[in-house]
Amino acid sequence: MIKLYQLHPSGNCYKVRLLLHQLGIPFETVETNISAGETRTPEFKAKNPIAKVPTVELEPGVFLAESNAILWYFAEGTPLIPSDKLERARMLQWMFFEQYSHEPYIAVARAWIAFYGVPPGKERELEERIQKGYAALDVMEGELKKRPFFAGERYSIADIALYAYTHVADEGRFDLSRYPAIRSWFERVQAQPRHLRLSDAVPPATR
Amino acid sequence: MIKLYQLHPSGNCYKVRLLLHQLGIPFETVETNISAGETRTPEFKAKNPIAKVPTVELEPGVFLAESNAILWYFAEGTPLIPSDKLERARMLQWMFFEQYSHEPYIAVARAWIAFYGVPPGKERELEERIQKGYAALDVMEGELKKRPFFAGERYSIADIALYAYTHVADEGRFDLSRYPAIRSWFERVQAQPRHLRLSDAVPPATR
C-alpha cells in the first residue's frame, strides 16, 4: 500500500491526503516529527535526500518527494489534470507560483504564529512574509474574479495545491474577509466529491 | 513569433532561451527593467499577474508565466521530458526543489552580491541564504553521484532548471570546487546539442 510520510497539520502533506482520498487510492500514513529532526536522519534522507515531508513510498523502496510532484504523479490520466496543453501548463504555472510566491510566506507565517513561535530576531522578517503573503492573495483574488478554478473551468491539482494553505491562512493572521472571490472558491473546492478536511483523520484504507 | 519578456542575466529567463534554442523554436526577446518597476505596471500585470519575468507571449494576447511551467509547455512531446511516468514525476520533483530550496538562496545571493548589492539590514539574511544554498548544492552533489542527470539517464528540463543558477553560483560567492559531481554534470549539460550560454546573445530567429 502507498505509504505517506507526513506531518498531519502541514498543508503540503494535506494536499496529498486530499488528492489520494478523492481518487480513491488507499494509503497509510507515517507521522514524522520534523521538530525532533526525524526528516534529517540518514535513514530518512535515504528515502528523500531533500529531507522534507510529504514523501511517499509508492512501492517498497521507491520514493517520491515534493508535494506538487506527488500530486502530478497520482493525478496523471485523471480529470484533475486538464487535457488541453495550454491549460495543463497554466495549471503548472499556478503550482510553481504556489511554491515560490505563496507557501514561503503564508505557510511559514502560519507555522511560526500557530505552531512554533516566531524565531528570535525574525520579527521583521515575519512582517515581510505577511506582506508578501498578502501580495499572493491579491494575485489569487484577481484570477478568481475571472474564472472559477485556477486552470480554467474545472477543478484541478492547482486548486488542491493553492487551497491547502490558503484556507488556513487565518491561522497566520491573514484577514480573508477582504477576499470574496477566494472565499467563494473555497466553497467550490469544498463542494467537490470526496472532499477531505485538513483536520480529518486519515480515512480508512478502503476504496 | 514567440515573444519572451526577460531580463537577460536572470537564470530563470536563461532557462527559456536555452530550451527554445535547443528545440529550434524561433523567438524574440523584450528586455524588461525590473529595477525600474517595469513588471509592476498595470500593462505588464495584464500579461502576467504574478508580475515577474520570464513571461512568454505564445500568440498575440496569450501569455504563460513561471519559468519551469514555460519549460514544460515547450518540452511536452519532446525527448526532454521522460516518457516513463515515474521519471516524469521525478523530473518535476527536482523542478519544484529548484524553485523552493535552491533558487531563493543561490539566485538571490547572486543577485544581491553580483548585481544589486545586499539590501540594508539583510546581512544576516544573506548568510542564512548562503547556508541554505550550500544545503541545496549538497543535495545535488549526492544525486549526481548516483546518476548522470536529474531525471535519470537522460538530459531533461530538470537539468535546464537546475543548471541555470548553479553554473553561475560562484557569482554569489559559492565555492563550487567542493562539488566534483556537479562540475562533471556541468560538462554533460554543456555538451548537449545546441547548447547556449547565459551570456550569449539571443540567437537569430532561424530554425
Side-chain angles (χ1 to χ4, degrees), chain A residues 49 58 63-66 68-69 72-73 76 85-86 88 90 92-93 96 99-100 103 122 128 143, chain B residues 49 58 63-66 68-69 72-73 76 85 88 90 92-93 96 99-100 103 122 128 143:
Chain A
L58 301 168
F63 297 93
L64 184 63
E66 295 292 317
N68 289 352
W72 176 278
Y73 178 83
E76 257 210 77
K85 177 179 169 159
L86 181 58
R88 201 158 48 239
R90 281 264 167 70
L92 284 170
Q93 170 189 307
F96 281 108
Q99 284 289 286
Y100 193 85
E103 204 270 10
K122 297 262 189 185
E128 285 181 15
E143 291 304 296
Chain B
L58 301 168
F63 297 92
L64 183 64
E66 295 292 317
N68 290 352
W72 176 279
Y73 178 83
E76 258 209 76
K85 176 179 170 160
R88 199 158 50 240
R90 281 264 167 69
L92 284 170
Q93 170 189 306
F96 282 108
Q99 284 289 287
Y100 193 85
E103 205 270 11
K122 298 260 189 186
E128 285 182 13
E143 290 306 295

Side-chain angles (χ1 to χ4, degrees), chain A residues 20 24 35 44 49 55 68 78 86 88 92 106 128 139 150 165 171 177 183 197 202:
Chain A
L20 290 176
S35 305
F44 193 87
T55 298
N68 289 352
T78 79
L86 181 58
R88 201 158 48 239
L92 284 170
I106 293 175
E128 285 181 15
V139 170
F150 278 92
Y165 284 108
E171 297 177 12
S177 69
R183 285 184 289 116
R197 289 174 303 180
V202 176

Side-chain angles (χ1 to χ4, degrees), chain A residues 3-205:
Chain A
K3 195 180 280 185
L4 168 63
Y5 291 84
Q6 70 150 9
L7 178 76
H8 203 91
S10 149
N12 285 325
C13 296
Y14 167 57
K15 294 174 189 176
V16 180
R17 293 199 303 277
L18 174 54
L19 177 70
L20 290 176
H21 183 63
Q22 290 193 308
L23 293 177
I25 297 173
F27 65 101
E28 57 187 3
T29 58
V30 180
E31 218 46 34
T32 307
N33 190 336
I34 295 173
S35 305
E38 286 182 10
T39 59
R40 308 208 68 81
T41 62
E43 293 72 25
F44 193 87
K45 286 187 181 177
K47 298 178 174 66
N48 174 8
I50 309 168
K52 290 185 192 294
V53 291
T55 298
V56 291
E57 189 167 13
L58 301 168
E59 53 186 85
V62 179
F63 297 93
L64 184 63
E66 295 292 317
S67 59
N68 289 352
I70 296 169
L71 294 185
W72 176 278
Y73 178 83
F74 286 110
E76 257 210 77
T78 79
L80 294 179
I81 293 182
S83 55
D84 176 76
K85 177 179 169 159
L86 181 58
E87 286 189 0
R88 201 158 48 239
R90 281 264 167 70
M91 181 191 80
L92 284 170
Q93 170 189 307
W94 291 112
M95 292 169 79
F96 281 108
F97 163 81
E98 189 265 333
Q99 284 289 286
Y100 193 85
S101 299
H102 181 289
E103 204 270 10
Y105 308 120
I106 293 175
V108 172
R110 171 179 176 256
W112 288 356
I113 290 168
F115 296 98
Y116 302 117
V118 181
K122 297 262 189 185
E123 293 75 13
R124 182 180 145 190
E125 189 178 320
L126 174 64
E127 292 312 309
E128 285 181 15
R129 287 183 192 259
I130 287 176
Q131 191 184 345
K132 291 185 175 178
Y134 273 118
L137 294 172
D138 290 346
V139 170
M140 291 175 67
E141 182 76 6
E143 291 304 296
L144 291 168
K145 282 179 180 161
K146 291 184 276 183
R147 63 185 68 84
F149 296 105
F150 278 92
E153 294 303 309
R154 288 176 69 167
Y155 178 69
S156 77
I157 54 172
D159 299 292
I160 293 179
L162 279 161
Y163 177 78
Y165 284 108
T166 309
H167 86 291
V168 289
D170 59 321
E171 297 177 12
R173 292 198 204 127
F174 289 95
D175 175 11
L176 295 173
S177 69
R178 11 172 157 164
Y179 296 106
I182 289 177
R183 285 184 289 116
S184 298
W185 168 73
F186 285 169
E187 292 173 13
R188 289 191 293 280
V189 169
Q190 290 158 2
Q192 298 299 312
R194 297 177 62 85
H195 183 71
L196 188 76
R197 289 174 303 180
L198 192 153
S199 58
D200 285 344
V202 176

